[in-house]
Amino acid sequence: MSNLTGRAIYQKAQKPPRAPYVELVGLRESAKGQRCSLRLPCCNHDPATTVLAHLRFFNWAGIAEKPINVLGVFACSACHDALDRRVDSQVGFEDILRALGETLISHVKAGKLIFK
């Protein structure tokens, strides 16, 4: 079954298939205590508030959906609010790309993102 965009629709208990060459191990949980990788001007620099903030661009996810965890960056509560446009702050794509790269490198070094 698919939606209007042709993407597969999954039931709550059913997970989408994963690529056989990538293993994802607790990416969301690994954000706890990490340094914010966005570091926008509004950053509070508090690792206690850091979460994996999903990037919602380019139809990577539908309404009320989150994209896969690989498409997320470590963000403090203030930067997460700016990224999700809950506060008025300038977020450049250069900042997002840098943060995504730093987050992916961190996942690989920690063994959370494994390429087979």
Side-chain angles (χ1 to χ4, degrees):
M1 177 183 268
S2 65
N3 61 15
L4 295 176
T5 64
R7 293 179 53 202
I9 297 174
Y10 300 99
Q11 301 300 324
K12 281 195 175 224
Q14 186 182 15
K15 292 186 177 183
R18 296 219 171 134
Y21 52 87
V22 177
E23 184 178 334
L24 308 175
V25 184
L27 297 184
R28 288 177 71 187
E29 296 79 14
S30 68
K32 187 174 183 177
Q34 294 291 325
R35 182 175 152 225
C36 178
S37 61
L38 268 176
R39 296 186 303 280
L40 300 173
C42 63
C43 189
N44 65 25
H45 303 285
D46 184 3
T49 66
T50 301
V51 296
L52 187 71
H54 292 87
L55 303 175
R56 300 171 185 266
F57 302 103
F58 313 114
N59 294 322
W60 287 338
I63 295 173
E65 278 185 336
K66 291 182 181 178
I68 62 173
N69 291 335
V70 172
L71 297 173
V73 298
F74 294 150
C76 68
S77 59
C79 289
H80 192 192
D81 287 342
L83 183 66
D84 286 350
R85 298 181 185 104
R86 290 188 286 264
V87 296
D88 188 26
S89 181
Q90 293 293 327
V91 180
F93 279 106
E94 297 87 5
D95 297 318
I96 295 169
L97 181 59
R98 177 190 40 77
L100 181 60
E102 287 180 15
T103 303
L104 289 172
I105 290 168
S106 175
H107 287 320
V108 170
K109 286 181 177 178
K112 301 290 183 181
L113 180 61
I114 302 166
F115 296 95
K116 296 179 183 178

